[in-house]
Amino acid sequence: MASDLTKTFVLVLCSMQLLLLAGLARAGNFYQDVDITWGDGRGKILSNGQLLTLSLDRSSGSGFQSKSQYLYGRFDMQMKVVPGNSAGTVSTFYLSSQGSLHDEIDFEFLGNASGEPYTVHTNVYSQGQGGREQQFRMWFDPTKDFHTYSVLWNPNHIVFYVDGTPIREFRNREAIGVAFPKSQPMRVYASVWDAEDWATQGGRVKTDWSQAPFTASYQGYTASGCTSPDAAACARSNSPWMYQELDSAGQDRLRWVQKNYMIYNYCTDTWRFPQGPPPECSAK
C-alpha cells in the first residue's frame, strides 16, 4: 500500500513539474489570469472575464499584469486599440521583469490624429539596455476590429507576430557579446497611458482631452510558457515553442512586412549610430 501511495505521489509530482515547464495554453479568463494594478477603476473586466478594457483620461491611464511569471513561451493577445483621434495615447502589450537591469519585450501602439495611421512600436530590452526600436504601419486599421499580437520567446530568438505573420525577429547574439533575455522571469503587462510629449509625430500632435476617455479593448489572452522559478528547468522544457523557428514561408512573410511596412529600424539609423550600427544588426 505504501509503495502504491509513493508511486502515486511521484506521478502527481512529475505531472505538476511537466505542467510548470509546458505552461499549457488555454482560452484565457481575465478574472483568473490577470490583476488590474492601476487606474482607479479605469480598467474593467467584462463579459464573464472574456473582455478587458483599459481607459485613459486627463487624470490617469490604467493597466494590468499577469498573475504568473514566465521564462520563455508563446504569448497572444487580441487587441482593438483606441479609435478616433488617439493622438498622444499609447496602448501596450508587453513582457517585463523588474529592476534596473530588467528584460522587456514591447508592443506599443502609438495613436494618431483621426484618419492617420497608427504606428506599431517594438523594442527589446536585456539587462536594462533597450534602444532596439523597430516601427511599423499595419496593413489594416487596428481600431476597427480585434487583431492578434503575439510574442514567441525562446533561447534562440524573440519573434513578434501580427495575426500570425512575423514582423520582427531578434536573435540571440550572445556569442558576439549582445545580451539576450534568458534568466529573468517576466510577467505579461498591458496599459493605456498618455505620452503626448513624444508618441505622435515626435510630440508635435498633442492629446485632445475633449475626446477622453480613450479606451482600448483586450480579449483572447493566452500564455503558454514555463512558470517554474528554476531557470535551468525552463531551459530543459520540451514544449513546441521552446524550439520553434521561422520556416521558409515565415522568413518570406517577415521580409515582406519589413520591406513594405517598416518605417523605422534602429539598425539603419546613422544619426544615432554614426560609428556604425550595434553588432547584432550585421550578424548573420
Side-chain angles (χ1 to χ4, degrees):
M1 182 71 175
S3 178
D4 289 342
L5 287 173
T6 300
K7 290 178 181 178
T8 301
F9 174 76
V10 170
L11 286 171
V12 170
L13 183 61
C14 289
S15 298
M16 291 175 64
Q17 289 175 331
L18 287 172
L19 285 171
L20 284 170
L21 294 177
L24 297 177
R26 58 176 175 78
N29 183 292
F30 285 113
Y31 283 121
Q32 299 173 9
D33 296 335
V34 308
D35 294 311
I36 297 175
T37 49
W38 63 286
D40 193 24
R42 293 172 180 82
K44 295 180 172 64
I45 298 177
L46 308 167
S47 301
N48 296 315
Q50 299 305 302
L51 176 68
L52 194 155
T53 60
L54 296 176
S55 294
L56 162 72
D57 58 33
R58 188 181 285 275
S59 297
S60 178
S62 50
F64 66 85
Q65 68 180 39
S66 63
K67 294 180 185 292
S68 297
Q69 297 185 87
Y70 303 91
L71 186 62
Y72 305 129
R74 167 76 182 238
F75 309 90
D76 303 277
M77 185 76 78
Q78 295 176 20
M79 293 178 61
K80 184 162 58 174
V81 298
V82 175
N85 184 357
S86 57
T89 71
V90 178
S91 308
T92 72
F93 161 54
Y94 64 103
L95 287 81
S96 183
S97 60
Q98 298 297 309
S100 60
L101 298 179
H102 75 292
D103 297 335
E104 189 171 325
I105 304 168
D106 290 340
F107 265 115
E108 296 185 327
F109 302 82
L110 312 185
N112 213 332
S114 296
E116 296 297 319
Y118 258 78
T119 296
V120 178
H121 177 100
T122 67
N123 204 352
V124 176
Y125 286 75
S126 186
Q127 297 295 307
Q129 179 180 347
R132 302 183 177 107
E133 302 91 346
Q134 289 184 357
Q135 295 182 339
F136 304 84
R137 303 289 194 213
M138 291 292 95
W139 48 96
F140 53 81
D141 183 345
T143 71
K144 297 297 185 185
D145 296 295
F146 284 95
H147 292 270
T148 302
Y149 304 94
S150 308
V151 171
L152 170 70
W153 169 35
N154 66 33
N156 298 320
H157 62 168
I158 294 164
V159 184
F160 297 76
Y161 294 88
V162 175
D163 288 337
T165 294
I167 67 168
R168 178 179 185 178
E169 180 185 35
F170 182 82
R171 295 205 64 85
N172 184 338
R173 300 300 186 191
E174 288 183 300
I176 58 171
V178 179
F180 185 84
K182 67 173 187 178
S183 60
Q184 299 186 64
M186 294 196 258
R187 294 186 192 275
V188 177
Y189 294 85
S191 59
V192 177
W193 51 286
D194 173 40
E196 68 174 0
D197 56 335
W198 67 270
T200 304
Q201 299 179 34
R204 291 186 297 275
V205 181
K206 302 299 184 182
T207 305
D208 180 0
W209 291 109
S210 71
Q211 303 296 313
F214 303 98
T215 301
S217 301
Y218 297 78
Q219 68 178 24
Y221 168 55
T222 59
S224 177
C226 181
T227 55
S228 171
D230 183 351
C234 286
R236 295 193 298 270
S237 172
N238 61 358
S239 296
W241 41 260
M242 194 65 172
Y243 306 100
Q244 185 176 338
E245 290 283 348
L246 292 176
D247 59 16
S248 58
Q251 292 283 359
D252 287 343
R253 294 292 287 175
L254 176 65
R255 285 190 288 269
W256 173 78
V257 171
Q258 298 207 336
K259 177 181 177 181
N260 293 288
Y261 295 98
M262 180 185 286
I263 60 171
Y264 176 79
N265 183 359
Y266 76 107
C267 286
T268 59
D269 191 336
T270 55
W271 184 85
R272 281 180 66 188
F273 304 108
Q275 304 304 316
E280 68 270 18
C281 295
S282 55
K284 300 298 183 182

